[in-house]
Amino acid sequence: MSLDFRKGAEARRSCILFCVLFDLSLFPPPGSSEEAVSPLQQSFMIPKKEINMVSDMAKWKRSQAYADYIGFILTLNEGIKGKKLTCEYKVSEPVKKLVDLLNTLDRWIDETPPVDQPSRFGNKAFRTWYAKLDQEAENLVAEVIPKHLVEAAPEVAVYLKESVGNSTRIDYGTGHEAAFAAFLCCLCKIGVLRVDDQLAIVFKVFNRYLEVMRKLQKTYRMEPAGSQGVWGLDDFQFLPFIWGSSQLIDHPNLEPRHFVDERVVNENHKDYMFLECILFITEMKTGPFAEHSNQLWNISAVPSWSKVNQGLIRMYKAECLEKFPVIQHFKFGSLLPIQPVTS
């Protein structure tokens, strides 16, 4: 799919409006008591598949889950606009616990080295690593959420388990990435993460998640799930390109044309998620950038980061959120319900 950057201003206005509305309904305000904002009367449930055939996609697009998910993505997109990864921001106790959780997953990779096997890709040691997560996920989540919300742990843990790749196919893709965003969205909905955690959610938690996923991909040589090859944006990720382009909006020096410059990437990747993604791609792939990453090469010709950002949001909806092969694996529970949006 080629990026259409027309109607950028109109899309941006609707994005901001959506973010404001979503922000009020999802994120508990800072300083509010946990008991006051947490759905104590909520009946939690184990999320399950609801999208079983292409015709079910209509249910997804009008569901509360879709509205909350895309609203969450757009709210964070607006919240980090123009800010560096290295800027100062609040790091709350739940954010620290989430980083500890991700550090645990990272440590397990070190404790589970690849095995010798004939196949170069899809190292079977990943299944051993995943089995440990499958067993421990609820306990890991219970360490993050307060005790009065412990009943939510089994529901929220499903999204964590879905976010690291498929243990049968030993692959990873944007559907797994979406599960991690859904995991964070659920933590917002039960009041664990709050409005003033927005920068830390992206810069501290999601960025650490990316580091762990890259380590998984390299260690176990995971296959890209549903990759479009040279015609896709990236083999594994999408969200860091959206949020990373938002970081670069109105940058005084860096323009989209600069991200194909190796020197610029090396000098600035620690500040900008988009450039960190470009660095990882160039480490993993050989040959001319225009050949192995044609979509990104085309994006480098777009005149502004604002247009890049809005084009990527439209592309994400079309290529990920509206594609049956991706969404058929999404799971729905009480926090991200399949029921139609109520307002």
Side-chain angles (χ1 to χ4, degrees), residues 270-294:
K270 291 182 180 178
D271 285 327
Y272 299 103
M273 197 175 282
F274 194 105
L275 301 183
E276 192 72 53
C277 289
I278 299 298
L279 182 66
F280 183 68
I281 289 170
T282 56
E283 288 175 351
M284 298 298 288
K285 295 188 175 184
T286 57
F289 191 90
E291 291 182 11
H292 63 62
S293 300
N294 186 259

Side-chain angles (χ1 to χ4, degrees), residues 59-164:
K59 287 195 299 184
W60 155 244
K61 284 189 273 188
R62 62 173 179 261
S63 70
Q64 187 66 51
Y66 181 90
D68 285 348
Y69 180 85
I70 194 64
F72 180 70
I73 299 304
L74 296 179
T75 299
L76 295 174
N77 184 67
E78 195 65 25
I80 64 168
K81 176 184 166 186
K83 295 182 173 66
K84 295 181 178 181
L85 287 169
T86 50
C87 74
E88 290 189 13
Y89 51 86
K90 175 198 167 189
V91 180
S92 65
E93 199 58 36
V95 166
K96 292 175 184 174
K97 289 179 179 178
L98 282 167
V99 173
D100 288 342
L101 184 159
L102 292 165
N103 289 343
T104 298
L105 301 189
D106 190 310
R107 188 181 74 250
W108 289 351
I109 300 173
D110 296 333
E111 295 170 358
T112 316
V115 296
D116 290 331
Q117 62 180 44
S119 173
R120 181 183 173 196
F121 291 96
N123 194 278
K124 291 179 175 60
F126 174 74
R127 292 174 181 156
T128 305
W129 180 92
Y130 182 87
K132 192 162 189 175
L133 173 61
D134 190 39
Q135 183 179 350
E136 296 293 330
E138 285 185 29
N139 293 330
L140 291 172
V141 171
E143 290 292 320
V144 174
I145 63 180
K147 287 185 171 57
H148 70 278
L149 285 171
V150 69
E151 290 181 4
E155 176 167 347
V156 177
V158 167
Y159 296 104
L160 177 63
K161 289 189 284 187
E162 293 284 316
S163 74
V164 298

Side-chain angles (χ1 to χ4, degrees), residues 225-297:
S227 172
Q228 299 175 39
V230 68
W231 303 113
L233 184 72
D234 181 74
D235 281 343
F236 298 108
Q237 313 294 158
F238 205 115
L239 290 176
F241 291 96
I242 294 176
W243 291 334
S245 60
S246 181
Q247 286 183 274
L248 286 156
I249 289 174
D250 296 330
H251 194 285
N253 307 116
L254 296 180
E255 298 173 13
R257 63 188 174 90
H258 290 127
F259 77 73
V260 293
D261 184 322
E262 183 179 350
R263 180 186 60 81
V264 171
V265 172
N266 288 333
E267 289 177 358
N268 297 279
H269 69 94
K270 291 182 180 178
D271 285 327
Y272 299 103
M273 197 175 282
F274 194 105
L275 301 183
E276 192 72 53
C277 289
I278 299 298
L279 182 66
F280 183 68
I281 289 170
T282 56
E283 288 175 351
M284 298 298 288
K285 295 188 175 184
T286 57
F289 191 90
E291 291 182 11
H292 63 62
S293 300
N294 186 259
Q295 276 281 24
L296 285 167
W297 178 261

